Amino acid sequence: MTQPQDLPKEAGHRLEELEHGLFTSDLSVNEFLLIKEAGFHPLGFVMGSSIYHTGIQARRWSKSQELTKLTEAMYNARELAMTRMEEEADQLGADGVVGVRLDVNYYEWGRDAAEFIAVGTAVKAEDGTSHRNAQGKPFTSDLSGQDFWTIMQTGYVPQGLVMGTCVFHIAHRGIGQTLGTVGQNVELPNFTQALYEARELAMTRMQDEANTLGATGIVGVRLEEKSHQWGSHTIEFLSLGTAVTKSSGEVTLPKPITIISLDN
Amino acid sequence: MDDASIDPDATGDDGDLPEAAGRRLGSGSFSSGLTVPDFAACLQMGLAPVALVQGFCVMQWGWYGQGSPYSRGMTPYAFSGPSVPRGVYSESYQCPHGGYSYSNEHRVWGQNYQQPWVESAWAEGFTSSYTRMVEEATEVGAHGIIGVVDTTRHLADMNVTEFHMLGTAVVVRGVAAPSGATPWTTYLAGQRLAKLVEAGYMPVSVVASLASVRVWAYCVTEMLMEGRPLSAYGAGGYLPVAEVEQLSRAHIAARSLAREHVRSQLGHDTLQGAAIVANTQSLAQGDEVIECALRGTRVRRFKDFDPLPAPRPTVRLS
Amino acid sequence: MSDPGWAQAPTGSDLAAEMRLAAASLGKPAHDAPSRAVTSDLSVDESLLLHSIGWEAVDVVFGASVVSIPPFVWTWGSGEITAASEAHNLAVRSAAKHLGAQCTEVRGHGVVGVHVEIEVQRHHVDVELTGTAVRPVKGKDTNHPFVSDLSARDFTLLHNAGWGPVGLAFGASFVYAPRRSAGTAMRQSSQNVELTNFTEAMYAAREAGMEHMQRSALDMGAQGIVAVRVSEGPMWFANHAIGFTAWGTAVRLEAQAHQYLSPQVVLPLDDAVVEFDVQSLR
């Protein structure tokens, strides 16, 4: 599925400059200082993108089903973007990427096409120990600088951003069905079943990715639902989180002070 | 005396305030525009809110007067040669093309100039509304006005601008206001005001100023802005990527003038919390009118203080 | 008139006493008045933070620049729209230079909290920069003022960690979206595939913009760029043309080594207030 070594040549010059010592980061000043506290140094702003045509898939109007071709397309597109971002990080010799953001852009001149972008800041441990994941690749995580510092203090380390996606078509209800329930308080079992299934599929796939990385668990799971450009009966469920494993370090998080802030 | 009961008969001339203002201010209970946290902070500072006070003024712009941007065909020069009034900004630009052989449309002269008539009309409107608000506060015996909200609304189709100022009049407990003193005013309220005072600054008054700069574009500016190369005027040429110097300088001048107008109202005091609003109106053919309003609170240092120790950085766990 | 200072956090009664002292001072001449009135757009918190590192605000300063873009560059072509990129970069450079010049005029060491406003129009790029010039209270003048969009708070934090801003690093790049031929369009319409030529075009734009930003930082002798802000999208007047801009503050380590902060971990006990909205029952 993934294609290594396919970064466009334009990426080359910029990454070379970063390898010679200049660092760039889209971390805020707070995050920059906390990354340093955690013993890491930012290397550079890395990004990967892919413009993907998400074509048509035939669907039955009255059947609720997963649209597997579209699921594959959405998955591939994001994978391409993430992989290119990881490659840029790899080229910089990074241990990992923090603050990863996955965005989708639509352009008017590209019907049915969307651009998938993954951006983040590549970081490297200052003491030289490798923090790459079980597959020897830089870890990715959507943790902010603050969350990264906090989790490193708990003795867990990030392995990678894991995601599961499922594009589901929800059946339209026939006239008979609609009239039959007019004015009643009733559960709609079709919808319930469909949406339940879709979410479970997305989360299970995310879990599978985490297992492949040999992770102990996933933190910060987010479930997003979008209809993109397909109309309201077709929804993509995207489940995202950061897979983590317990490292040999102990918990060094200091005991917090409790406060009550009197701000507005 | 803590509560603010006022006897309207005792305060003398109402000036040009509406009749209803006198009744409202004489009512005996306090009103305030403060939010609950700001109200709490106000009491903590030893300030007692007395009344919500406001001032209002509607000004008409004389659009067809001297220097009106709508009157084309007049000389572009508002000021020239020895008749340039002192202290007024103006810069002229001359066509570098040796222009007389081109068409009549070729604008061989251009000028940036400040429009003091616009600025003084704005100042008059602002000052009137401010003065009326302060009058209401004086009527209720207030020492100061906090949390001032100042709104300027321009009704373009009627060439009219409304100035409205609203604030909470307060009394400083335990201090007798020296007679004849004007109440001090500030945009700040609540914790921000408390911090200002703890930092050693006392608000003196709200200050604001408008600077208005008119740009009469000359040929180079017009061509660059409209994207029409010289060939439209009957001579060959192309347009490069170039800084449109006339406009850059006009924009910087408008802002700097607003700052200098405000500085002239500060005496030796400091302007705290400056807020700038700049408005550019593009007229035809590269001409522009740039207006920049600068507002802030004039504050005076009343004590020395040792610098704060560096604050402790924290990470929140929620 | 001196005050014991910040030995402990002021209590309520101290604050009321301060207010009385403050109000009474209005009748007397100004204490310790500077010869030229100071203006600043910093908040009170930021002024206090600056004061804690021995710096002060001097004046609000401005920079602005309007640069023209030649006509016909937005007509659909291919590759990078170099004229637009040049115009953008020239405008930001020029505005930053004017800002620096105003800063030097008032003897500031640099400008913080710069509010950056960039508008790309069909025939011109407008850049407006507004910030506050600051200087160390006991410092000599400098010929190389820094310009930074870091807030005064971030400036103070970095200063305590041993880093200092050098200048505003920025880059921009504009490209045309590539066209698809009709045949290709039809073939792709039923497949889920990557559109490689589009991808490459977007990459080209981003990388060119980011590279310009990096180079501008290297030229200033910086070691890094923090708080990079990126914006991209089609032009409102020509949506087949895509613009990509990036800017941030270039920084350099000024102390011998990075100073670690050792932050205190706090657990706020404020739960978010859930408001009960009666309207929703209708």
Side-chain angles (χ1 to χ4, degrees):
Chain A
M1 208 62 66
T2 61
Q3 300 145 44
Q5 309 303 326
D6 72 338
L7 287 179
K9 56 186 181 319
E10 288 81 10
H13 297 161
R14 180 176 79 82
L15 293 176
E16 261 171 44
E17 267 171 4
L18 293 178
E19 288 171 63
H20 287 134
L22 176 79
F23 72 83
T24 55
S25 90
D26 72 340
L27 303 172
S28 66
V29 169
N30 289 350
E31 293 180 292
F32 167 66
L33 293 172
L34 283 173
I35 300 278
K36 297 284 285 181
E37 284 298 308
F40 284 75
H41 184 77
L43 291 179
F45 184 66
V46 291
M47 54 197 166
S49 85
S50 161
I51 300 194
Y52 218 85
H53 181 265
T54 51
I56 312 163
Q57 173 168 6
R59 62 206 82 165
R60 298 250 300 277
W61 202 74
S62 59
K63 186 159 159 32
S64 289
Q65 60 180 142
E66 183 185 3
L67 302 177
T68 46
K69 271 192 158 156
L70 287 183
T71 299
E72 245 180 69
M74 297 304 283
Y75 185 82
N76 284 353
R78 287 200 181 86
E79 267 302 291
L80 272 173
M82 290 265 303
T83 308
R84 287 178 183 145
M85 184 188 71
E86 278 165 25
E87 273 176 37
E88 287 200 353
D90 199 10
Q91 193 166 336
L92 292 177
D95 279 329
V97 185
V98 299
V100 172
R101 263 189 334 278
L102 283 178
D103 281 329
V104 187
N105 281 346
Y106 304 103
Y107 295 109
E108 243 189 61
W109 39 259
R111 298 281 158 204
D112 299 329
E115 185 184 23
F116 296 81
I117 310 171
V119 300
T121 296
V123 299
K124 191 175 165 67
E126 287 195 299
D127 62 2
T129 55
S130 169
H131 282 75
R132 292 196 165 197
N133 64 15
Q135 298 169 337
K137 296 232 198 73
F139 66 80
T140 50
S141 84
D142 66 348
L143 300 173
S144 65
Q146 288 87 349
D147 289 343
F148 179 71
W149 178 84
T150 309
I151 209 160
M152 296 297 283
Q153 306 288 309
T154 60
Y156 277 82
V157 291
Q159 293 291 301
L161 189 62
V162 291
M163 63 180 173
T165 177
C166 173
V167 179
F168 215 85
H169 169 77
I170 302 178
H172 295 249
R173 300 173 72 211
I175 296 191
Q177 283 178 305
T178 317
L179 289 179
T181 54
V182 145
Q184 296 175 25
N185 298 333
V186 61
E187 183 183 11
L188 301 177
N190 296 348
F191 287 166
T192 303
Q193 195 58 35
L195 297 175
Y196 214 147
E197 210 183 310
R199 287 192 179 91
E200 288 292 344
L201 276 171
M203 290 169 68
T204 309
R205 288 173 183 155
M206 178 187 71
Q207 205 103 22
D208 290 340
E209 281 206 353
N211 291 340
T212 315
L213 284 176
T216 320
I218 312 177
V219 297
V221 174
R222 247 186 358 264
L223 188 60
E224 289 178 8
E225 299 172 24
K226 292 197 187 121
S227 288
H228 294 283
Q229 298 155 321
W230 305 309
S232 62
H233 272 258
T234 305
I235 309 182
E236 183 205 13
F237 293 89
L238 174 67
S239 173
L240 274 176
T242 297
V244 295
T245 39
K246 186 112 183 58
S247 75
S248 51
E250 77 265 18
V251 181
T252 49
L253 192 64
K255 189 162 149 62
I257 292 181
T258 49
I259 64 172
I260 295 185
S261 70
L262 295 184
D263 316 322
N264 296 358
Chain B
M1 173 164 85
D2 274 22
D3 56 283
S5 43
I6 310 109
D7 176 9
D9 297 334
T11 53
D13 184 19
D14 269 355
D16 56 352
L17 299 177
E19 176 267 338
R23 276 186 282 129
R24 180 174 68 82
L25 297 175
S27 73
S29 65
F30 77 82
S31 57
S32 97
L34 301 174
T35 60
V36 171
D38 284 354
F39 178 64
C42 171
L43 294 179
Q44 198 189 17
M45 281 188 275
L47 300 175
V50 173
L52 203 48
V53 291
Q54 64 178 331
F56 190 72
C57 177
V58 178
M59 290 291 293
Q60 176 190 271
W61 295 118
W63 274 131
Y64 301 101
Q66 179 195 14
S68 158
Y70 294 149
S71 59
R72 287 193 59 79
M74 279 166 47
T75 167
Y77 281 124
F79 316 107
S80 62
S83 69
V84 178
R86 199 167 326 160
V88 174
Y89 161 76
S90 109
E91 278 186 296
S92 319
Y93 293 84
Q94 293 189 26
C95 164
H97 308 117
Y100 292 103
S101 55
Y102 299 139
S103 75
N104 290 339
E105 294 274 329
H106 196 93
R107 304 174 70 180
V108 298
W109 304 103
Q111 193 188 29
N112 292 346
Y113 57 87
Q114 187 181 348
Q115 306 189 108
W117 49 91
V118 171
E119 297 173 353
S120 53
W122 195 96
E124 197 185 316
F126 184 87
T127 310
S128 300
S129 68
Y130 178 76
T131 309
R132 287 170 190 157
M133 180 182 72
V134 166
E135 261 178 50
E136 289 198 359
T138 315
E139 273 219 15
V140 300
H143 296 166
I145 309 178
I146 66 176
V148 171
V149 173
D150 135 33
T151 324
T152 314
R153 200 173 17 189
H154 184 70
L155 303 175
D157 55 341
M158 284 164 43
N159 294 330
V160 144
T161 303
E162 308 176 330
F163 297 85
H164 181 227
M165 300 200 77
L166 182 69
T168 301
V170 298
V171 159
V172 181
R173 290 175 200 259
V175 168
S179 63
T182 331
W184 45 267
T185 58
T186 168
Y187 287 115
L188 302 175
Q191 291 299 335
R192 288 190 301 158
L193 180 60
K195 279 192 274 210
L196 183 75
V197 172
E198 282 175 336
Y201 288 102
M202 175 64 193
V204 177
S205 84
V206 152
V207 291
S209 217
L210 180 90
S212 175
V213 170
R214 170 77 158 95
V215 173
W216 278 87
Y218 75 128
C219 58
V220 172
T221 302
E222 182 186 350
M223 284 186 310
L224 291 176
M225 292 299 281
E226 302 266 298
R228 268 182 298 138
L230 254 183
S231 55
Y233 295 97
Y238 79 109
L239 287 182
V241 165
E243 178 157 15
V244 186
E245 211 195 303
Q246 184 179 16
L247 289 179
S248 301
R249 292 182 67 83
H251 278 277
I252 298 182
R255 289 162 175 75
S256 305
L257 282 170
R259 180 188 59 203
E260 296 315 310
H261 289 334
V262 163
R263 199 193 308 281
S264 67
Q265 302 175 48
L266 293 179
H268 291 291
D269 298 327
T270 301
L271 182 77
Q272 169 67 36
I276 296 138
V277 173
N279 224 312
T280 305
Q281 199 186 344
S282 287
L283 308 170
Q285 296 174 287
D287 286 0
E288 287 187 359
V289 176
I290 304 164
E291 287 178 353
C292 177
L294 177 61
R295 292 170 166 80
T297 301
R298 173 181 172 186
V299 300
R300 185 172 301 172
R301 177 88 145 234
F302 68 95
K303 64 167 190 181
D304 286 325
F305 62 102
D306 297 325
L308 286 179
R312 193 77 199 274
T314 60
V315 174
R316 288 169 174 256
L317 279 192
S318 76
Chain C
M1 251 201 307
S2 79
D3 188 279
W6 299 86
Q8 69 219 30
T11 63
S13 61
D14 288 348
L15 188 45
E18 303 266 311
M19 188 74 222
R20 285 197 292 276
L21 191 63
S25 76
L26 285 183
K28 309 184 188 132
H31 169 82
D32 214 0
S35 50
R36 181 173 181 276
V38 165
T39 61
S40 127
D41 73 349
L42 302 175
S43 68
V44 179
D45 287 345
E46 293 185 299
S47 307
L48 289 175
L49 278 174
L50 269 189
H51 190 81
S52 78
I53 58 171
W55 284 58
E56 61 180 358
V58 185
D59 228 356
V60 178
V61 289
F62 312 100
S65 175
V66 177
V67 172
S68 68
I69 299 178
F72 314 125
V73 302
W74 303 107
T75 318
W76 206 338
S78 78
E80 190 182 353
I81 311 173
T82 44
S85 315
E86 255 178 62
H88 178 285
N89 294 330
L90 173 59
V92 179
R93 226 176 11 249
S94 173
K97 207 166 61 147
H98 289 137
L99 191 67
Q102 282 209 353
C103 178
T104 311
E105 237 178 77
V106 299
R107 301 176 56 221
H109 274 217
V111 188
V112 299
V114 172
H115 180 66
V116 178
E117 252 181 64
I118 306 181
E119 248 185 65
V120 179
Q121 308 278 6
R122 188 185 291 275
H123 294 299
H124 53 99
V125 179
D126 301 338
V127 175
E128 283 160 34
L129 305 174
T130 310
T132 299
V134 296
R135 57 177 286 118
V137 178
K138 303 183 180 63
K140 296 201 214 50
D141 292 350
T142 172
N143 279 333
H144 302 288
F146 63 80
V147 168
S148 132
D149 69 341
L150 293 177
S151 65
R153 172 200 175 277
D154 284 347
F155 169 70
T156 309
L157 259 184
L158 276 185
H159 179 95
N160 286 336
W163 294 79
V166 177
L168 203 62
F170 61 91
S173 152
F174 299 83
V175 292
Y176 301 105
R179 299 187 201 242
R180 277 188 283 179
S181 67
T184 322
M186 280 200 310
R187 238 179 303 123
Q188 287 175 328
S189 66
S190 61
Q191 296 171 27
N192 301 322
V193 289
E194 181 179 26
L195 304 175
T196 43
N197 47 357
F198 281 95
T199 302
E200 280 182 24
M202 295 302 289
Y203 252 103
R206 283 201 196 92
E207 296 291 347
M210 298 279 299
E211 214 203 312
H212 190 278
M213 181 183 72
Q214 286 174 195
R215 222 173 323 121
S216 74
L218 286 171
D219 288 344
M220 289 188 266
Q223 287 167 323
I225 310 177
V226 295
V228 169
R229 244 175 295 205
V230 152
S231 103
E232 64 173 68
M235 302 287 105
W236 62 266
F237 49 82
N239 56 23
H240 51 267
I242 318 227
F244 176 83
T245 55
W247 71 86
T249 295
V251 295
R252 186 175 44 211
L253 190 60
E254 295 187 337
Q256 289 289 7
H258 179 90
Q259 313 289 307
Y260 291 92
L261 301 175
S262 309
Q264 172 74 59
V265 182
V266 297
L267 181 61
L269 292 185
D270 334 302
D271 279 329
V273 174
V274 175
E275 278 169 342
F276 181 78
D277 185 1
V278 184
Q279 301 288 332
S280 65
L281 292 180
R282 290 220 186 129

